[in-house]
Amino acid sequence: MYDPTVARLTYRALLGRRRAAVLFILPVLLIVIAVAVRAFAGADDQVAANVLGGFALATMVPLIGVIAGTGAIGPEIDDGSIVYLLAKPVKRPTIIVTKLTVAIAVTMVFSALPTLIAGLILNGNGQQIAVAYTIAALVASIAYSALFLLLGTVSRHAVVFGLVYALVWEALFGSLVPGARTFSVQQWSLAVAQKVSGDGVITSDVGLPLATVLLAGITVAATWYAGQKLRALKLAGEE
């Protein structure tokens, strides 16, 4: 279920000069914010939770997920070069799983690692806040990568739809409509962070058992359906 050649091509596409520059912007900005907040506010657990929850998990992780998830396959479908990959003796599920693995790895490196560094800067991991948000970023990276890889497979406007989900649904509706938070990857990952951190510092509107099921479910379902759509794309090309 993993093809090194496909992985190498996907890494090359995601870490090209222009896309890598975009991937670096948000992590660097997070660390700069963390340094500034620590300098002006000192080590404060609630402030650290607000910064990591409000910027790292709510903004940086989904945006990097959009870039990595859609970029892993979307450009190849748009320019037609996916046909050459489909002509190789590689199973379609293997292509999807390989690209998903690369997207997850890239999202984790550019989101979870900066989250940990920022958390350590903000309050030195007091009440396990840095570790809690890092773990939340790791599990969110998996779900976001699968979801946005699926969008890249089914739509030519995957980036737009991904941004709408990340910035409008999760950030806007999630803050205004309580019921919408149940269908939010951010809230599911916050449930994991809540379990790790000190009491009352991090909260989620979704319980941990339900969040675990939903995180696993969306990842498996999105990966399976992306494989089905890629298989259909191959058949359409042959016809």
Side-chain angles (χ1 to χ4, degrees), residues 23 27 30 56-57 60-62 64-65 104-117 133-134 137-138 140-141:
L23 287 171
L30 172 63
L57 194 62
M60 183 183 72
V61 179
I64 291 177
I104 290 172
V106 170
T107 306
M108 285 181 172
V109 168
F110 283 92
S111 62
L113 183 59
T115 298
L116 177 61
I117 295 172
Y133 275 106
T134 299
L138 289 172
S141 295

Side-chain angles (χ1 to χ4, degrees), residues 38-123:
R38 178 61 185 267
F40 288 104
D44 185 286
D45 294 342
Q46 191 57 56
V47 171
N50 291 341
V51 172
L52 296 180
F55 183 80
L57 194 62
T59 302
M60 183 183 72
V61 179
L63 289 181
I64 291 177
V66 169
I67 296 171
T70 61
I73 195 169
E76 291 177 288
I77 294 178
D78 290 343
D79 62 21
S81 61
I82 190 70
V83 174
Y84 299 99
L85 181 59
L86 296 178
K88 303 296 182 181
V90 182
K91 294 180 179 179
R92 306 304 167 255
T94 299
I95 294 175
I96 290 297
V97 171
T98 301
K99 287 183 172 294
L100 175 60
T101 301
V102 173
I104 290 172
V106 170
T107 306
M108 285 181 172
V109 168
F110 283 92
S111 62
L113 183 59
T115 298
L116 177 61
I117 295 172
L120 293 175
I121 292 172
L122 286 166
N123 76 333

Side-chain angles (χ1 to χ4, degrees), residues 68-234:
T70 61
I73 195 169
E76 291 177 288
I77 294 178
D78 290 343
D79 62 21
S81 61
I82 190 70
V83 174
Y84 299 99
L85 181 59
L86 296 178
K88 303 296 182 181
V90 182
K91 294 180 179 179
R92 306 304 167 255
T94 299
I95 294 175
I96 290 297
V97 171
T98 301
K99 287 183 172 294
L100 175 60
T101 301
V102 173
I104 290 172
V106 170
T107 306
M108 285 181 172
V109 168
F110 283 92
S111 62
L113 183 59
T115 298
L116 177 61
I117 295 172
L120 293 175
I121 292 172
L122 286 166
N123 76 333
N125 196 37
Q127 297 202 57
Q128 296 293 307
I129 291 175
V131 171
Y133 275 106
T134 299
I135 294 174
L138 289 172
V139 297
S141 295
I142 299 173
Y144 280 130
S145 296
L147 181 61
F148 296 136
L149 179 68
L150 172 61
L151 286 177
T153 306
V154 302
S155 174
R156 291 180 177 271
H157 306 289
V159 174
V160 175
F161 290 133
L163 291 175
V164 168
Y165 175 81
L167 300 180
V168 178
W169 177 262
E170 291 208 339
L172 181 60
F173 282 92
S175 62
L176 299 177
V177 184
R181 298 169 189 165
T182 305
F183 304 98
S184 166
V185 174
Q186 178 188 344
Q187 289 297 321
W188 304 342
S189 58
L190 276 175
V192 179
Q194 182 180 2
K195 181 67 175 179
V196 177
S197 68
D199 293 338
V201 180
I202 302 173
T203 59
S204 172
D205 290 348
V206 183
L208 182 59
L210 177 59
T212 302
V213 171
L214 291 173
L215 283 166
I218 193 66
T219 301
V220 172
T223 304
W224 174 82
Y225 192 59
Q228 297 303 306
K229 295 300 293 185
L230 193 62
R231 182 178 290 112
L233 179 65
K234 171 64 165 59

Side-chain angles (χ1 to χ4, degrees), residues 5-17 19-20 102 106:
T5 301
V6 175
R8 184 172 64 253
L9 294 173
T10 307
Y11 275 118
R12 185 179 301 172
L14 287 179
L15 300 177
R17 187 171 301 175
R19 189 169 277 111
V102 173
V106 170

